[in-house]
Amino acid sequence: MTSTSPRLVNWENGTDLVIELPLALDVATVWSKLVDSETARAWFASFTVDDSAEGDSNPAITFDLGETKLHGEILSCEVEDHVLVELDDFGVLGMALLALELTDGDATLLIFTQSAADVESARLKAADFGPMWDTHLRLFARVLGLDVAEAGEEELLALYADLEIEDSESHDSEDGATDA
């Protein structure tokens, strides 16, 4: 059964809320559903991309939330790898896909990130938005036909109110010291 695993990660330029979700499908299948506007309607919101901007402008993206529109721009997108967007109300968000080779077939690790300038801002964003993102990621897995662990609102609120902080640099150096 699929379940999310969230944490905060310190990077050189800030702190990210990171939510990982393993999916028992290949990257191509996950990507095709992730970037399909009609499929997105079932787990978040349908969207339109306006890539008619000239010059160095990033393509605009608009999510249709019914009575509200959520505007932003696509900062980076590599097919079957990642998409990075900046949304007016949420800041910089990323979705990356990592192929996993299992003994019983291919799988994908979906990695969602929401960036913040510092640990305190990341904690606030995690508490405010983490349960919502977690719920949408679980809905995405269900759209893919996967069995996903249930999580109630109280459970998610408690989880995202007190996430562990991982320091990417010290974690890397600890791994190196352990392997030596």
Side-chain angles (χ1 to χ4, degrees), residues 136-155:
H136 286 296
L137 292 173
R138 289 170 195 262
L139 287 170
F140 178 63
R142 287 186 184 105
V143 165
L144 294 170
L146 301 173
D147 188 18
V148 183
E150 292 292 330
E153 184 178 354
E154 288 183 24
E155 176 187 355

Side-chain angles (χ1 to χ4, degrees), residues 7-171:
R7 65 190 187 283
L8 296 175
V9 178
N10 271 333
W11 298 98
E12 183 177 319
N13 296 322
T15 303
D16 290 349
L17 166 61
V18 177
I19 306 171
E20 293 181 346
L21 179 64
L23 303 166
L25 295 166
D26 63 280
V27 168
T29 301
V30 174
W31 180 261
S32 69
K33 297 296 183 185
L34 183 67
V35 298
D36 180 70
S37 178
E38 289 307 308
T39 302
R41 176 187 315 252
W43 64 275
F44 183 63
S46 61
F47 61 87
T48 55
V49 175
D50 179 8
D51 53 6
S52 63
E54 294 185 29
D56 294 332
S57 291
N58 293 324
I61 187 166
T62 302
F63 290 91
D64 184 354
L65 303 170
E67 295 179 15
T68 309
K69 304 279 191 244
L70 183 59
H71 301 282
E73 66 179 329
I74 299 172
L75 302 176
S76 176
C77 183
E78 293 292 329
V79 175
E80 294 186 11
D81 183 68
H82 76 272
V83 62
L84 186 66
V85 299
E86 185 167 14
L87 299 177
D88 295 344
D89 297 334
F90 297 105
V92 177
L93 307 172
M95 297 274 261
L97 304 179
L98 179 63
L100 303 173
E101 293 181 23
L102 306 176
T103 55
D104 58 348
D106 292 336
T108 301
L109 182 63
L110 185 148
I111 305 163
F112 170 87
T113 57
Q114 182 176 19
S115 296
D118 53 51
V119 172
E120 193 55 39
S121 298
R123 282 198 180 284
L124 291 171
K125 284 184 177 187
D128 287 347
F129 304 122
M132 175 188 68
W133 298 132
D134 195 294
T135 299
H136 286 296
L137 292 173
R138 289 170 195 262
L139 287 170
F140 178 63
R142 287 186 184 105
V143 165
L144 294 170
L146 301 173
D147 188 18
V148 183
E150 292 292 330
E153 184 178 354
E154 288 183 24
E155 176 187 355
L156 289 174
L157 289 172
L159 175 65
Y160 284 90
D162 190 31
L163 288 177
E164 293 289 321
I165 297 178
E166 177 183 302
D167 187 340
S168 66
E169 292 178 16
S170 68
H171 184 70

